Amino acid sequence: MDKSVIVCRCEEISYEEIEEVITQGGRTFDDIKRITRCGMGACQSKICSKLVAEVIHKQTELSMEQIYPPRFRMPISPVSLEALATDSQQFSTVKSVLDEIELTDGKVK
Amino acid sequence: MNTQFDTIVIGGGVVGSGIAYHLSERSQESILVIDRKYPLAGTSGSTQAWVWVHNKTPSWYAELNYYSAELYPYLSKKIGDVEYKRTGGLSPFFHEKDRVKAMKLAEAYKEIGIDIKVLSKEEVLEKEPFMNPDVEGATYSSIDGNVNPFRLIDMYMRAAKRKGVQYSTYNPVHDLQKINGGFIVATTKDTYRCKRLILAGGTWSRELGKMIDVHIPMNQVRGQILVSEPLKPFLNHTVSGLRQANNGEVLMGYSMENKGFNRSTTLNVMQETANMAIRYVPAIKKAKIVRAFSGIRAMPEDGFPIIGAVPNIENLYVAATHSGVTLSPLIGTLITELIIDKETSIPIERYGISRFA
C-alpha cells in the first residue's frame, strides 16, 4: 500500500500514521485507534478494521489469526439520543456533581 | 535490551508517563516504563478527561487539583499541543435547595483562595444558551477545563522518549523483589534490575503492591460514557456531565458503579446518561450517538491520592490516584522533587501511604 493511502475514511487516517504507531510499540487495532482516531468516526471501524489488521500483520510478527478485531460497542449503528432516552426522571447510577457533596453541621467538610 | 536501569516506573498511563517525563526533564539517569499492555489501553484512554477542580472536597484536596490545573498551560508548551482548554467548569442544579449546598461550597473554597461563583438561572443561560431553561443555577469556576487524553499520553511518551526514557509494552509484571541496593522486576519478557522503583499501576495498584508486600488500598469504579457524532460547537464550558471536544463530538456521562474490572457498557446506564444529557441540554436529543464506552477508574479506599515514598522500603515510591488526568502534571513534578531534591515544594504528607497503616 502507498504510504499516503487513506485507511480510515471517516477520520482521514493514512497508512503512514498507522505504521508510525506500530513503530512506537502499538500492536492492536485499539492502540492505533486511540493514538490516531482511526476507526473512531461515524462507521466505528466497520470499513477500516480489516485494512488495519493487514497493516499490523505486515509491520509486526503477528499472524492474521493473532490480530483481534476492534471492540464493538453499542449502538451498532448511530442512534439518536431521544431514541435511547426513557421517560424516567429517576437517576440511580448517573449522578450530578453536587449530589456528591455532603454537608456536615451545615458545612462542606 | 538492556535490563539495568536507575529508575523503573510500572504503569505507562497518565500518572506513570507523567512521572517518567517529569523525571527525565531533570535527570540524566536511565528510566524504563513498563506497561502490561500499551499506554491508553486502560483508564487513561477511557475518560472524558476533565481537568477539574471545583466541587472536589474537602477544600485541601481541591487545592491539590488547583495547583495541577495551573501547570497545564506550561505542560502544553513543553510537550506539545495536548488540546488543553481552560473552558471554565459549570455544575448545573435543578432544585433550589441545592443552592444552599452550592453557597456552602463557595464559602469553603474562599478560605483557600479558589474563586467559585454561584450563578443564577439567567447567568447560566447567558453562559450556556442551550442549557435547559428549567435550570435553577450552577456553580462555576474559571480554572476548570479539559484535555485530549490520547494526545496527552502520546505527547508525554514522545517527550519522555526524546529525553532517553525507554518503554517496554505488552509486558506484564509478575514479581517484585527488594534486594540490596535496589529491586528486581520480573516480567513476561525479561527480568530487570533498578535502583529505584515507582508503582503507578492505577486500578491494578493493589495487585502490584502485593508483589512487594505493600498494602495499596485501591478499588475500581466503572464509568460509562456516550459519544455523539460531531456537532456544531455549542457548549462553551466543561459542564459536569458533558463536554464538547475540538472535533465537535460531545462526551456525556457521570456514572459510578462498583463492578471490579468488568468493562461492559449496559443499556440501563446508557439510558440514564441519555436522560441526563437531554435534561441538561434538551436540543441535544436529535443528535446521534455513535458509541458508548466504559472506563475502570482507580479509586483509593478513602478517595484521596496515594503519593510519596513507601516507608521502610528505601527507594520505593507509589503514585496511585483517582483524577489522574487532572493531577498528573503535579504528581509528576512532586515525585521528581522527592527523588532529586528530597523534599517537595508543597507538603504531601497527608497523601502518604502510611495513613492506611
Side-chain angles (χ1 to χ4, degrees):
Chain A
M1 246 184 282
D2 187 272
K3 287 200 186 272
S4 62
V5 163
I6 297 293
V7 174
C8 167
R9 286 192 220 166
C10 305
E11 297 288 323
E12 296 186 5
I13 307 300
S14 69
Y15 184 100
E16 193 175 13
E17 288 168 86
I18 292 164
E19 198 181 50
E20 207 223 328
V21 180
I22 300 168
T23 314
Q24 295 290 321
R27 284 289 175 277
T28 66
F29 184 96
D30 287 337
D31 294 338
I32 292 162
K33 176 183 77 180
R34 293 182 189 111
I35 301 280
T36 65
R37 288 197 60 84
C38 175
M40 276 194 186
C43 91
Q44 288 290 305
S45 76
K46 290 183 189 75
I47 297 171
C48 64
S49 63
K50 283 206 174 112
L51 287 167
V52 172
E54 272 175 45
V55 184
I56 297 172
H57 172 60
K58 270 191 195 143
Q59 301 289 330
T60 66
E61 74 290 358
L62 297 170
S63 67
M64 285 303 270
E65 295 77 47
Q66 291 172 301
I67 300 167
Y68 290 97
R71 184 162 193 166
F72 276 92
R73 293 278 199 183
M74 292 192 281
I76 300 305
S77 169
V79 60
S80 71
L81 265 172
E82 66 183 337
L84 191 58
T86 63
D87 292 332
S88 169
Q89 287 301 313
Q90 298 302 310
F91 293 93
S92 56
T93 311
V94 175
K95 293 190 160 50
S96 90
V97 172
L98 275 174
D99 286 344
E100 287 191 292
I101 294 168
E102 289 165 23
L103 295 182
T104 327
D105 304 329
K107 275 193 153 176
V108 173
K109 59 167 183 168
Chain B
M1 191 185 173
N2 173 28
T3 56
Q4 294 265 17
F5 291 87
D6 292 306
T7 300
I8 289 183
V9 182
I10 301 178
V14 72
V15 173
S17 284
I19 291 170
Y21 163 70
H22 282 92
L23 186 59
S24 72
E25 237 191 333
R26 289 188 55 199
S27 163
Q28 299 298 314
E29 294 189 345
S30 58
I31 302 169
L32 174 70
V33 179
I34 301 176
D35 200 286
R36 63 192 291 276
K37 286 190 175 170
Y38 194 72
L40 290 170
T43 311
S44 300
S46 48
T47 163
Q48 288 201 41
W50 306 343
V51 176
W52 196 260
V53 177
H54 104 275
N55 317 94
K56 282 182 178 160
T57 57
S59 52
W60 47 259
Y61 177 48
E63 200 176 2
L64 193 78
N65 287 271
Y66 181 86
Y67 291 140
S68 199
E70 282 285 29
L71 293 174
Y72 258 98
Y74 308 103
L75 183 70
S76 316
K77 283 198 177 123
K78 291 191 293 185
I79 67 175
D81 183 12
V82 294
E83 295 179 8
Y84 169 65
K85 289 174 295 185
R86 192 172 284 179
T87 57
L90 209 67
S91 293
F93 53 85
F94 289 84
H95 299 290
E96 195 49 45
K97 66 174 170 54
D98 278 337
R99 187 178 301 277
V100 179
K101 237 185 200 183
M103 302 294 275
K104 296 278 181 199
L105 187 77
E107 242 171 65
Y109 274 41
K110 205 171 183 177
E111 284 168 28
I112 50 162
I114 299 176
D115 187 28
I116 291 187
K117 290 189 168 57
V118 181
L119 305 181
S120 67
K121 177 200 285 272
E122 291 71 28
E123 287 168 323
V124 178
L125 293 172
E126 194 178 313
K127 282 191 183 301
E128 288 294 354
F130 288 92
M131 188 72 75
N132 190 340
D134 287 344
V135 72
E136 288 292 343
T139 54
Y140 169 78
S141 131
S142 59
I143 185 78
D144 296 324
N146 61 66
V147 66
N148 180 332
F150 307 113
R151 290 199 59 107
L152 175 63
I153 280 96
D154 192 24
M155 289 297 171
Y156 264 146
M157 283 168 63
R158 285 170 194 267
K161 284 176 182 175
R162 281 198 297 274
K163 303 258 184 199
V165 174
Q166 293 183 45
Y167 273 77
S168 177
T169 53
Y170 287 102
N171 195 11
V173 172
H174 299 303
D175 193 36
L176 300 171
Q177 208 187 316
K178 174 79 181 118
I179 52 165
N180 204 2
F183 301 88
I184 293 178
V185 179
T187 71
T188 299
K189 289 184 183 172
D190 227 326
T191 299
Y192 306 90
R193 277 164 187 268
C194 59
K195 287 197 295 196
R196 199 180 288 121
L197 184 62
I198 302 170
L199 306 179
T203 51
W204 293 282
S205 292
R206 187 186 290 266
E207 288 69 20
L208 211 49
K210 270 185 196 154
M211 295 180 193
I212 196 157
D213 293 327
V214 176
H215 175 55
I216 309 176
M218 180 62 74
N219 298 320
Q220 299 80 30
V221 173
R222 182 168 77 187
Q224 299 190 37
I225 293 167
L226 300 179
V227 189
S228 80
E229 62 188 328
L231 303 169
K232 197 170 102 180
F234 71 98
L235 265 185
N236 304 319
H237 299 79
T238 307
V239 178
S240 49
L242 294 178
R243 78 140 166 126
Q244 190 167 25
N246 278 12
N247 69 346
E249 68 186 21
V250 177
L251 299 172
M252 43 203 116
Y254 200 80
S255 67
M256 282 162 219
E257 302 163 279
N258 300 317
K259 299 283 178 188
F261 288 98
N262 180 338
R263 231 173 131 167
S264 307
T265 39
T266 57
L267 185 60
N268 61 329
V269 175
M270 288 173 66
Q271 286 171 326
E272 267 194 31
T273 303
N275 293 348
M276 175 201 71
I278 293 172
R279 183 192 206 188
Y280 283 11
V281 181
I284 206 172
K285 67 183 182 190
K286 299 286 177 199
K288 286 201 160 83
I289 294 304
V290 297
R291 189 175 180 85
F293 67 87
S294 102
I296 309 301
R297 324 248 170 269
M299 188 58 88
E301 217 159 72
D302 61 2
F304 302 114
I306 307 169
I307 35 179
V310 176
N312 305 324
I313 307 182
E314 202 188 354
N315 291 326
L316 180 66
Y317 299 83
V318 59
T321 186
H322 189 68
S323 289
V325 170
T326 300
L327 291 170
S328 95
L330 184 64
I331 289 178
T333 305
L334 291 169
I335 296 282
T336 302
E337 288 175 347
L338 211 51
I339 290 170
I340 295 179
D341 309 321
K342 312 292 175 206
E343 57 177 2
T344 52
S345 48
I346 57 168
I348 56 167
E349 288 69 27
R350 198 197 286 273
Y351 298 105
I353 195 166
S354 50
R355 71 180 187 268
F356 300 106

